[in-house]
DNA sequence: CTTGACCTATGATCTAGATCTAAGGTTTAT
DNA sequence: ATAAACCTTAGATCTAGATCATAGGTCAAG
């Protein structure tokens, strides 16, 4: 049996995070001591580790709640149910990747077009690109 | 001169967003009507478009505030100052890309290892991977 | 002259995932 | 027996970027 501080330390998280997970129906201690302290079992610890691993691959707590509800009742769920959660998340991650990749491309183009020197920014291509209504940054050098 | 609703509509944002930008020192209307209505000039509109373009390449509002403070005082800033902002942001975006790519890899591995069929999830490799303390998902099939 | 669209200011609410505070009770060690 | 460390609860705070609610003032059309 772990008290909150022991489990938190063992899993390298904050005590408050465990209370937060409890309030948000992710993990409740199996019992309480006479004085009301939370008491976690080995099984509880395994569930916590499940949560932390799921976080580690990108799942939100809401998604982890779904995973856990399958986990505790495996027999009544199909592989398909689990895989859908993973594939939905994967699509989500790939959408975010696409957006960030667009950012990366734009920023690289901006960076490459700017000399980065100590000259006045009056003709800086970066600022010009942000001022203008074109998306394209011309790569010609800007200082006379 | 645009009133708040006119400028907001022209730039496809919410009136409240303009008030929010004003409160957060990004864009203030050049003047007010006698009755206190915000009045935006063409110049104000251009600044707003600058802000929206900067958002479009991934800058946060705090970063845009910095860009704007250079923009309004170009002569006293160097290309280097602008480029540093872009390169810092680029590094930031690339860190996030790296994390998402890790998520993508893990999720793909999980997805590929699961049959996704209608069989009970009792031996689902995805759940097994999240239960176990190994990072590796074995690709062997899981149902007997 | 009244309806409806638009505007004002201030402050609350939302998401997500915690973290922190306050006021107090418990346990352990010295 | 008393200090330190730990625990309890409820509720506030934080980031970021808005959006919404409230209560009221302004303006154009019919
Ligand atoms: Zn330059
Ligand atoms: Zn430049
Ligand atoms: Zn299967
Ligand atoms: Zn499976």
């Amino acid at each position: 049996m772990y008290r909150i501080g022991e489990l938190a330390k063992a899993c390298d998280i904050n005590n408050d995070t465990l209370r937060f997970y409890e309030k948000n129906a992710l993990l409740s201690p199996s019992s309480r001591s006479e004085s009301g302290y939370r008491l976690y079992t080995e099984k509880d610890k395994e569930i916590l580790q499940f949560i932390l691993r799921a976080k580690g691959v990108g799942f939100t707590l809401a998604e982890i709640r779904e995973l856990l509800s399958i986990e505790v009742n495996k027999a009544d769920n199909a592989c398909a149910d689990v895989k859908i959660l993973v594939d939905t998340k994967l699509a989500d991650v790939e959408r975010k990747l696409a957006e960030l990749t667009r950012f990366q491309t734009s920023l690289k183009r901006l960076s490459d077009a700017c000399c980065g020197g100590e000259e006045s920014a009056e003709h800086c291509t970066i600022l010009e690109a942000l001022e203008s209504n074109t998306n394209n940054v011309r790569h010609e050098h800007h200082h006379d």
Side-chain angles (χ1 to χ4, degrees), chain A:
Chain A
M1 295 293 233
Y2 301 87
R3 285 194 303 185
I4 194 171
E6 293 166 345
L7 181 59
K9 185 167 287 180
C11 295
D12 198 29
I13 60 172
N14 192 300
N15 296 12
D16 284 324
T17 303
L18 281 171
R19 295 196 189 94
F20 175 79
Y21 286 173
E22 181 175 350
K23 199 172 56 177
N24 289 275
L26 285 159
L27 174 62
S28 293
S30 292
S31 59
R32 295 275 184 140
S33 74
E34 286 186 12
S35 52
Y37 288 13
R38 290 168 177 81
L39 296 175
Y40 296 90
T41 63
E42 272 304 323
K43 179 71 186 151
D44 294 332
K45 185 181 183 186
E46 280 165 22
I47 294 171
L48 176 58
Q49 286 170 336
F50 182 103
I51 293 169
L52 298 178
R53 272 179 222 114
K55 266 171 60 71
V57 300
F59 285 107
T60 64
L61 299 188
E63 291 158 350
I64 293 171
R65 221 172 0 247
E66 291 193 72
L67 281 170
L68 282 172
S69 83
I70 291 180
E71 170 72 16
V72 299
N73 193 10
K74 284 182 183 187
D76 287 356
N77 285 278
C79 260
D81 301 325
V82 183
K83 187 163 180 164
I84 279 173
L85 292 180
V86 170
D87 287 345
T88 301
K89 187 69 198 177
L90 182 55
D92 193 44
V93 164
E94 287 177 344
R95 248 184 299 107
K96 286 186 191 151
L97 270 174
E99 179 174 38
L100 281 177
T101 300
R102 264 185 282 113
F103 288 171
Q104 182 191 33
T105 303
S106 301
L107 289 166
K108 259 187 186 150
R109 218 182 312 144
L110 287 171
S111 179
D112 287 349
C114 171
C115 74
E118 289 302 325
E119 303 90 339
S120 150
E122 280 170 298
H123 301 291
C124 177
T125 48
I126 293 173
L127 296 179
E128 282 171 7
L130 293 173
E131 287 157 19
S132 79
N133 46 14
T134 74
N135 297 340
N136 293 358
V137 177
R138 294 172 310 285
H139 279 254
E140 61 198 39
H141 206 70
H142 47 195
H143 300 287
D144 305 330

